[in-house]
Amino acid sequence: MSEFEPKIVGFFCNWCTFTAADLAGTSRLSYPHNIKIIRMMCSGMVDPKYVIKAFLNGADGVLIGGCWPGDCHYINGNLKARRRVAMLTEILKEYGIDEKRFWLRWIAASEGTMLREVVNDMTAKLKELGPSPLNREALGEKSEKAKMIG
Amino acid sequence: MANFTKLSFKKGELNQKLADLFKGMMEKGVVDALLAPMIQPKRGVMLTLVTDPSHLGALDPFAPVVPVNGARIASSITAKPSGRKTAMVLRSCEIRALVELCKLKQANLDDVLLIGMDCLGRYENLDFVKLRAEGQSSEAFLEKALAGNTESGGCDVSGACKICEFPVPDNVDLRLCAIGTGAEAVYLESLTPKGDKALEAAGLNTGETPAGREAAVQQLVKKRKEACDAALAQYRESTPSIDALEDRVANCINCYNCRVACPVCYCKECVFVTDTFRHNGDQYMGWADTFGTLKMPTDTIFYHLTRMSHMSLFCVGCGQCTSACPNSIDLMPMFRAAAQKTQGRFDYQAGRSHDEKQPLTVFENDELVEVTGQVK
Ligand code: SF4
Ligand code: SF4
Ligand code: FES
């Protein structure tokens, strides 16, 4: 059996973490392909719905990347994001979605190396945790039991 | 300093006594209008806006029914204020929701004399109508309920009421007290300068404090808290996963009645009825292709989790969601369980105080460091 490859959805702020991912690319710092990146204008624009939908569709992890406190281009979108993440974590935990699957990290535009470390680290931790209880494909339920969660 | 007025009544005349009280308040110009539960001409008891005191004969505040959470009604009357002084007689769950709506600028208490009443629970609407038809009076209910028995004719008060740890309303000008006040008497307690002024203008003297009240309230709150802890523990045990949640809401038809009935579902237009969720045919086909089948309507779990993320910070546990569901899904514990966690995370309690900011409307630079675990 091949090793479990976690699927991570990344919501990255255009001004920092997304740029860091770009920098990592141009600097040839390779990081796992497990992450699918969605570019946002600010971490403060990540609606809890996006995160819920990602998990319901079987993501093993969600990573939100934003500017460091004080550096948000919209002044405080990242601090609002932090409150929302805390709130949503409480709801997800109630239904068995471990908080180790839902990360918020500050990664500045220049921090390509840190971007790589965070994605590596998250991928490794998710491998340890195993598939999300909602990743019905990885859990081998595709044939009869799998339905779109809805 | 407690500030109580005793209202003694003869058996069978509680409503008359209260009608006289409010009639006096209106005639003396303490208020211009009254919003209170009244017996309806056909059947049932509903909140009714009264501007002519001669109609107060139908008043029935202690009727054990809450067809609509009154915070919604108070919001319709005050969001765009009339400028007329209005007394509103509401229960704790209604008042706590109203406090949250005020913070959202969807209600305004400037012209309102808020009168909270002790609550021993409400029956489901149709149960109440049935019990009334069989002759149950509010007084008879009060008497039995105060002795600890709310069961009647095969019906009982709602599950939400049995685990409500707020039988006594806070954040009110006046409080209509029935718990621990002895037989054939209720008390009116003033808690604010506005309340004092109202009592004075109505010519009511304060005096006697009901001796047994504090102990009786404490005992009831303790009992309810224990019941609440047990109910939420049982809910969590039975619904620990999304899989179990799917099972719980398996009969949901996405009618969204639960959020229409919810007093703190505050969005003017729910995203689930916008174009965002009116997908194209090929979108549905695509999802069906992925798994071979697609349950319609879609997005049921998505809806319930999103609703939790929007309003669990304000959930007051009134149980109107459960009462509204045409498919008998018991939503109240679902939302109360989420609320306990989200409100707990921010040390917030829905309806506790007008001065506490709603958690997602404020933030600090140095807080919640554990979320990212990063320090510069
Ligand atoms: S979610 Fe249910 S219990 Fe909570 S405030 Fe709304 S209607 Fe009341
Ligand atoms: S009221 Fe019941 S059926 Fe309607 S959306 Fe809510 S849970 Fe589903
Ligand atoms: S602009 Fe990057 S987090 Fe707000």
Side-chain angles (χ1 to χ4, degrees):
Chain A
M1 212 190 110
S2 61
E3 198 192 4
F4 160 61
E5 287 297 341
K7 288 184 285 189
I8 303 172
V9 178
F11 296 100
F12 288 180
C13 163
N14 175 58
W15 304 104
C16 50
T17 314
F18 189 85
T19 311
D22 222 21
L23 178 66
T26 49
S27 322
R28 296 176 174 261
L29 297 169
S30 69
Y31 54 88
H33 297 292
N34 301 67
I35 188 156
K36 307 277 176 280
I37 299 171
I38 298 170
R39 188 208 308 217
M40 308 296 295
M41 285 309 283
C42 173
S43 64
M45 284 194 63
V46 182
D47 188 309
K49 278 197 300 296
Y50 305 163
V51 178
I52 294 170
K53 184 73 175 168
F55 280 118
L56 289 180
N57 281 11
D60 298 295
V62 170
L63 169 62
I64 300 177
C67 308
W68 281 85
D71 295 344
C72 172
H73 289 228
Y74 308 95
I75 304 172
N76 48 36
N78 50 357
L79 301 182
K80 294 174 182 160
R82 183 163 63 186
R83 283 215 160 202
R84 268 182 224 134
V85 167
M87 178 275 297
L88 186 56
T89 302
E90 295 299 325
I91 293 173
L92 295 173
K93 272 199 304 197
E94 281 284 274
Y95 295 103
I97 300 169
D98 200 304
E99 60 190 314
K100 294 192 204 100
R101 298 188 183 280
F102 182 26
W103 294 22
L104 171 69
R105 290 294 180 273
W106 313 132
I107 302 170
S110 58
E111 295 175 322
T113 322
M114 190 199 308
L115 183 275
R116 173 160 98 149
E117 275 166 24
V118 168
V119 177
N120 275 333
D121 189 22
M122 188 168 191
T123 307
K125 295 233 161 78
L126 290 175
K127 280 189 182 170
E128 260 169 52
L129 260 181
S132 154
L134 305 182
N135 185 349
R136 293 179 178 184
E137 201 176 340
L139 293 170
E141 295 175 11
K142 178 143 180 150
S143 49
E144 315 122 59
K145 263 182 83 186
K147 297 263 188 303
M148 182 170 120
I149 298 168
Chain B
M1 212 11 241
N3 233 346
F4 288 93
T5 297
K6 184 171 182 177
L7 305 169
S8 304
F9 59 91
K10 289 206 203 71
K11 213 176 172 66
E13 292 179 6
L14 169 61
N15 284 336
Q16 189 53 53
K17 184 82 192 177
L18 296 172
D20 291 345
L21 168 80
F22 292 119
K23 195 159 178 246
M25 283 193 175
M26 289 176 79
E27 283 171 355
K28 293 195 175 101
V30 178
V31 289
D32 306 319
L34 172 74
L35 178 75
M38 303 242 290
I39 298 162
Q40 299 304 300
K42 300 294 186 204
R43 73 179 79 78
V45 169
M46 294 240 181
L47 278 176
T48 303
L49 185 60
V50 187
T51 54
D52 175 353
S54 71
H55 294 282
L56 284 170
L59 194 77
D60 194 359
F62 285 102
V65 69
V66 183
V68 175
N69 185 305
R72 284 234 174 241
I73 309 286
S75 163
S76 2
I77 298 172
T78 64
K80 296 193 183 110
S82 65
R84 289 172 61 178
K85 283 179 286 171
T86 309
M88 296 190 174
V89 182
L90 299 170
R91 293 157 195 261
S92 161
C93 57
E94 301 176 302
I95 289 157
R96 282 176 288 126
L98 186 53
V99 167
E100 295 306 314
L101 293 183
C102 287
K103 293 181 196 176
L104 291 158
K105 309 264 184 290
Q106 294 188 4
N108 180 315
L109 296 179
D110 289 352
D111 303 321
V112 175
L113 179 72
L114 203 52
I115 307 178
M117 46 175 282
D118 284 1
C119 178
L120 292 149
R122 64 168 173 93
Y123 292 100
E124 296 302 346
N125 301 339
L126 294 181
D127 288 346
F128 172 75
V129 168
K130 174 182 151 260
L131 291 171
R132 267 292 148 107
E134 290 165 5
Q136 194 206 60
S137 71
S138 301
E139 258 181 64
F141 167 77
L142 258 188
E143 201 180 311
K144 247 179 96 175
L146 284 168
N149 180 12
T150 47
E151 207 268 309
S152 190
C155 309
D156 206 343
V157 296
S158 84
C161 303
K162 288 189 175 161
I163 66 167
C164 167
E165 65 279 51
F166 303 101
V168 171
D170 285 314
N171 294 307
V172 293
D173 299 306
L174 294 172
R175 198 186 265 152
L176 202 48
C177 310
I179 299 168
T181 55
E184 284 159 35
V186 291
Y187 283 70
L188 199 56
E189 179 188 7
S190 169
L191 293 117
T192 64
K194 214 171 175 177
D196 293 346
K197 254 174 72 187
L199 286 191
E200 200 189 305
L204 294 165
N205 300 320
T206 57
E208 221 182 317
T209 300
R213 177 158 170 86
E214 212 180 298
V217 170
Q218 268 175 18
Q219 200 197 351
L220 182 60
V221 170
K222 184 165 171 274
K223 193 177 122 192
R224 296 272 187 81
K225 273 202 175 119
E226 283 163 9
C228 180
D229 289 345
L232 295 190
Q234 201 243 329
Y235 171 79
R236 291 200 173 98
E237 200 180 310
S238 67
T239 324
S241 61
I242 296 287
D243 195 56
L245 186 63
E246 283 192 279
D247 191 54
R248 180 167 265 266
V249 302
N251 295 329
C252 176
I253 55 167
N254 293 37
C255 71
Y256 307 136
N257 278 357
C258 44
R259 70 138 166 79
V260 174
C262 177
V264 295
C265 235
Y266 54 86
C267 295
K268 295 269 162 71
E269 186 180 34
C270 177
V271 65
F272 283 88
V273 298
T274 63
D275 281 345
T276 308
F277 287 89
R278 238 165 266 135
H279 310 299
N280 292 338
D282 53 1
Q283 176 78 73
Y284 291 113
M285 289 299 169
W287 284 326
D289 283 344
T290 309
F291 293 103
T293 63
L294 177 67
K295 185 214 70 149
M296 306 288 287
T298 58
D299 299 314
T300 305
I301 294 284
F302 193 15
Y303 158 69
H304 288 293
L305 290 175
T306 301
R307 197 164 98 76
M308 273 177 214
S309 79
H310 284 183
M311 49 52 68
S312 65
L313 282 164
F314 316 133
C315 172
V316 294
C318 65
Q320 293 290 348
C321 45
T322 295
S323 300
C325 180
N327 290 299
S328 305
I329 299 168
D330 189 9
L331 296 144
M332 178 276 300
M334 217 163 104
F335 284 87
R336 275 210 71 173
Q340 192 181 51
K341 295 292 179 175
T342 56
Q343 293 179 21
R345 179 80 186 240
F346 297 99
D347 193 20
Y348 187 76
Q349 193 189 91
R352 179 167 55 193
S353 152
H354 281 281
D355 302 326
E356 285 173 350
K357 299 264 194 307
Q358 294 182 333
L360 296 188
T361 61
V362 284
F363 49 83
E364 307 284 340
N365 267 315
D366 306 307
E367 63 167 4
L368 300 171
V369 187
E370 72 280 8
V371 171
T372 62
Q374 295 166 290
V375 258
K376 204 161 201 175

